[in-house]
Structures are given as C-alpha cells and as structure tokens.
Amino acid sequence: MGRLFGTDGARGVANTELTCETAMLIGRAAAVVLTRHTDHKPKLVIGKDTRISSDMLEAALVAGICSVGADVELLGTVPTPAVAYLVSKYEADAGVMISASHNPVEYNGIKLFSNTGYKLSDDIEEEIEALILDTPEKLPLKSGVALGRVSRAKNAVHDYVKHIMNTIDGNLEGMQVAIDCANGSASATAETLFKGLGAKPLIIHAEPDGTNINDGCGSTHMEALTAFMKKHKCQLGVAFDGDADRCLAIDEQGNLIDGDKMIAIFAKYLKEQGKLKEDAAVVTVMSNLGFFHFAQREGIKAVSSKVGDRYVLEEMRKSGYVLGGEQSGHIIFGEYASTGDGQLSAVQLMSILRDYGKKASVIAGVMERYPQVIVNVKADADGKARLNSDEEIAAAIQECTDKLGSDGRVLVRASGTEPLIRVMVEGKDFDVINQYAVKIGETIKRQVGCEE
C-alpha cells in the first residue's frame, strides 16, 4: 500500500500519528482530486464514529475541504456503510468516514468514498497521497466568497435505516435478538432499525462516552454478548464493531457464527433462491478451509481475494458477483451496498432464520470450521518490508507447510491496518497447528519483529 493510506484508509494514533494537520491536508487533497471533473460547486459528506478524537479530526477535515472551495454536509454519528449509501443519495461528490473501525479508542482513521459510494482505488489514493506528501503547493486555496460552506444533514440516520429496512420482504415480527453496539456508530441506529422491523432487540453497549468504543465489547470481544445471550435466552445475538461495518453472531446455544459461516449461510440461501450470480461467493485467502469444503459440496464457486473488504469488492465488481466478505464479519451484499455493512448482514441473517423456521445453530451447521490459530507479531514498516525476503522465515514456513500437507495450510501476511505481521495456520489437529504457528511467529519476531 501507499505511504499514507493502508488497506482501509489512513489510520493511526489520533493526534500523534494521524494529526489534525494531516487530516486537513487529506481534506484538501481529497476535495481537489475527487471533484476535479465537476461543473458545479462540489460537496463532500462526512460521517464519524463515537471516538473522542472524531470531533477534532472532523473539524480539521472540514477546514481543509472548505479551504479549497468545496462544501461540506455533516452526517453526524453514523456507520461507515451509511456514508457509502448517503454519498449517492445526497448527490455528493465524495464521502468521508472518520473511524478506526474495530481498533481501540486511541486510534482513528479517515476513509474516503467516491460519489458512487465505493472506496477509492489504489491509484486514486496514491494521487491524493502525492498531493499531500510530494506537491502540497499544488493544492489551490480559495478566498472570499469562493470558500466552502458547512451544513448539517437532518435525516441521515432515518434515511440510512429506511434503506436497510427495505432490503428484506416483510418484517421480523417477534424475533428476540441481543445486539452489541460496541459503544460505536450502531448506537445511533440499531434500536430504530430493529424495532422498526418488528423485532424485540435487547441492546447492550450502546452508551458511548467517547472513550469506551470497542472496550471489552463488540465484534472483537464476543464474550460479552455470549454471556448476555446465556442469561436472556435470545434466538440470536449479533455484535458490531466501532463503525458497524462488521457483524458477527452467536447462536441460541452460545456458539460463534463468524463471517465465514455467515457467508456460507447467505450463499446457500441465495443459491436456493436463484439469486447467487454464477453461484459464486468471494472470500479472502484468510477464510477458513471449512468454507472451501462447504462450497465444493454445495456447488458454489469460492473465489479468493487479498485480505481487505476493498479487494473482496473489487473481485465482486470485476465479475458481477453479488456476495462476498471476510471471516472478520465484513460482508458485502452487492445488490444493496457498496461496502461491508454489519446491520445489513444482521437483518439478512434474521430474515433467513424467519424463512427457514429453524434455529440459528441448525442453519450454521451448513459449514464445519477447521481449527485455526492466528499469531500476531509486532512489526514496523521496515520489518514488514523485509518479511518476504528473509530466508529463515521462508524456511520455517516451508517446513510447517510440508508437514501439514493437504490437511492444512500456512498463511503469513503483513497487516494493512496495524503494525503487525499475522501468522495463520489451519489443520485438523489444534495442538499441532498451534505449535507450528508459535514456531513461525517466534522466527518472525527474531528476524524482523520489534519490541512490544
């Protein structure tokens, strides 16, 4: 990826790595690049999650955008997929989401969307980067009446919720669901959405205070929802991350339904309905082996992409596929959305439970999950760059791969959003794959890792 943008926008610790000055420059450069072909005064919409730093970065972005003569419409606290949807509905020239998704509160990020609601291509992001880092003098500043104006959207939450409600036939009358909002963006939308569909939502972690986003809750801490489910005996539990573009679920027995299993459920259902384009679903190289075995058994084509929902989406758009996603819970329904949408996924899952008339544990049994171990090694940019050229690391990976044979696999990759190298090992025997993952991780730490 580029020097500023990773696999999911620009991201870092707010006010030290992702500074106000950087945010202002991103606003300026994005407004210039994304609105250069307009024949009217351009407008960008901005949404944000509940982090304490989001207001600060919003102010900096607004200053940058208005300084080059573009207008801004503030959406307030909304999920990332709401920005992707509303940028088109509100006829804006581009969209910006301020969020670090599932990361802790000290992080924040800036995601950019085109006027069609899709995340930007690498080429466009690199052009924006070049303006910021190489030729900032080419950013034309306006003055007087040519400056941009700022307005606030009055119905952003309502318009987004209505869109999600319209993606299913009928309603979810009487379905009792536990919902973990991660003290993030879903706190502004979930109750209205699920009650509007007739469900009986029991909502937790929907009291954001600026500092508690993703803190022991949401899709990165499923134990909180699992404990709540056991106490209240709901039909289903769903958990979102900080910007609500991910969703993971818990069945009525307290078992995890991860992104791979959800995609399997959706793919099987859509195929039965004759709605799965070319009987294909796009997943990533990190998806569980069990998904590929499920797909083969069900006559579904499993298409692999690089890790990152942007790459899943690129593969979907290239071939016209309608379903794709990641194990983490980023799931894209091409018919309804241009990015992953956790609440859309939850609504679709609940509608399938309604249509099948079966318990979530039964439906999730469509796919058997292979044991999978992931080891994260702290690494800076230099360590990531040396990962694929280190001979000792390559030898450790090859040795474990040979021992696993056809019953497993090893995948090592540098994270595009965090200072980590991820080691993933899959196989039939947990103890064996855990041993291999630790061995490879220790080798990487010794060769290219950095201090914790």
Side-chain angles (χ1 to χ4, degrees):
M1 295 304 296
R3 296 161 290 168
L4 182 60
F5 293 101
T7 55
D8 200 18
R11 189 173 294 186
V13 176
N15 213 33
T16 57
E17 296 173 344
L18 183 59
T19 65
C20 294
E21 291 78 9
T22 299
M24 184 172 67
L25 287 171
I26 290 174
R28 284 178 179 169
V32 169
V33 171
L34 298 177
T35 67
R36 60 191 166 193
H37 298 305
T38 59
D39 56 3
H40 57 270
K41 190 168 188 179
K43 178 179 77 172
L44 284 77
V45 295
I46 300 179
K48 59 187 176 183
D49 71 15
T50 58
R51 293 164 206 272
I52 192 171
S53 60
S54 289
D55 290 345
M56 175 186 73
L57 293 174
E58 179 186 65
L61 280 162
V62 168
I65 293 167
C66 290
S67 72
V68 293
D71 291 339
V72 174
E73 186 170 12
L74 299 176
L75 304 177
T77 298
V78 293
T80 289
V83 175
Y85 170 69
L86 295 173
V87 68
S88 178
K89 180 176 177 62
Y90 290 175
E91 298 182 341
D93 297 286
V96 185
M97 180 65 185
I98 305 166
S99 176
S101 191
H102 61 286
N103 291 134
V105 66
E106 61 267 26
Y107 290 86
N108 217 326
I110 297 172
K111 308 178 187 182
L112 302 174
F113 295 89
S114 70
N115 61 351
T116 59
Y118 289 101
K119 290 182 180 179
L120 305 185
S121 68
D122 290 349
D123 290 344
I124 297 296
E125 286 192 344
E126 287 169 5
E127 186 176 352
I128 293 171
E129 281 188 353
L131 269 179
I132 295 169
L133 302 175
D134 300 331
T135 56
E137 69 278 1
K138 291 185 178 181
L139 292 170
L141 301 184
K142 304 294 184 180
S143 62
V145 296
L147 291 170
R149 296 177 181 271
V150 183
S151 62
R152 295 184 182 274
K154 297 179 180 179
N155 299 307
V157 168
H158 172 271
D159 290 340
Y160 167 70
V161 166
K162 184 178 179 181
H163 162 63
I164 300 300
M165 292 175 67
N166 288 338
T167 65
I168 64 169
D169 295 326
N171 56 40
L172 304 173
E173 192 68 38
M175 294 186 71
Q176 185 161 293
V177 57
I179 301 173
D180 187 339
C181 293
N183 290 316
S185 293
S187 304
T189 55
E191 184 173 13
T192 301
L193 171 61
F194 290 94
K195 282 188 175 179
L197 285 169
K200 296 178 179 179
L202 300 179
I203 298 178
I204 59 174
H205 303 125
E207 298 179 353
D209 63 8
T211 66
N212 59 1
I213 188 170
N214 299 317
D215 186 10
C217 57
S219 62
T220 51
H221 299 278
M222 295 297 287
E223 61 275 7
L225 180 61
T226 302
F228 186 85
M229 285 279 294
K230 289 180 179 178
K231 181 178 180 180
H232 294 276
K233 298 180 180 179
C234 298
Q235 292 172 260
L236 182 73
V238 295
F240 310 118
D241 63 337
D243 66 338
D245 64 354
R246 296 185 184 193
C247 175
L248 296 179
I250 299 290
D251 69 23
E252 80 288 348
Q253 296 178 359
N255 301 312
L256 174 67
I257 305 175
D258 67 7
D260 287 337
K261 281 202 169 190
M262 291 177 70
I263 297 167
I265 293 168
F266 296 141
K268 186 174 188 298
Y269 179 81
L270 289 173
K271 185 184 179 189
E272 291 172 354
Q273 301 295 312
K275 297 180 179 179
L276 188 65
K277 180 74 176 294
E278 296 189 27
D279 290 339
V282 181
V283 291
T284 77
V285 293
M286 290 286 284
S287 292
N288 193 272
L289 273 176
F291 180 86
F292 296 96
H293 290 175
F294 148 81
Q296 185 177 30
R297 184 180 69 247
E298 297 290 335
I300 292 170
K301 179 182 178 183
V303 181
S304 292
S305 78
K306 292 191 294 184
V307 175
D309 63 329
R310 65 186 295 155
Y311 300 117
V312 171
L313 183 59
E314 285 178 7
E315 194 67 43
M316 290 174 63
R317 295 182 71 189
K318 182 175 71 176
S319 301
Y321 301 137
V322 297
L323 178 66
E326 300 182 278
Q327 187 180 95
S328 61
H330 276 122
I331 300 174
I332 304 170
F333 290 87
E335 182 179 354
Y336 306 119
S338 57
T339 189
D341 190 326
Q343 289 171 103
L344 172 60
S345 297
V347 167
Q348 295 295 319
L349 182 59
M350 291 176 69
S351 71
I352 291 174
L353 293 181
R354 176 202 64 192
D355 290 351
Y356 279 148
K358 297 178 180 178
K359 293 181 178 180
S361 60
V362 175
I363 293 174
V366 69
M367 176 193 138
E368 179 184 0
R369 192 177 188 279
Y370 272 54
Q372 186 179 76
V373 173
I374 296 177
V375 171
N376 293 319
V377 180
K378 191 84 169 179
D380 56 20
D382 180 62
K384 290 181 180 182
R386 291 187 286 120
L387 172 65
N388 293 325
S389 60
D390 188 275
E391 293 182 359
E392 288 196 34
I393 294 174
I397 293 172
Q398 189 61 53
E399 178 185 358
C400 295
T401 299
D402 292 342
K403 289 179 178 179
L404 285 169
S406 60
D407 289 332
R409 62 173 179 152
V410 177
L411 179 65
V412 178
R413 54 176 287 272
S415 171
T417 59
E418 297 177 81
L420 300 172
I421 291 173
R422 304 192 193 280
V423 179
M424 187 273 283
V425 183
E426 281 180 309
K428 294 182 177 180
D429 188 318
F430 175 83
D431 291 336
V432 170
I433 64 172
N434 186 61
Q435 176 186 342
Y436 292 167
V438 170
K439 179 179 180 179
I440 296 171
E442 289 176 347
T443 303
I444 292 172
K445 185 175 182 179
R446 184 174 63 251
Q447 296 299 110
V448 301
C450 60
E451 295 296 325
E452 296 291 337

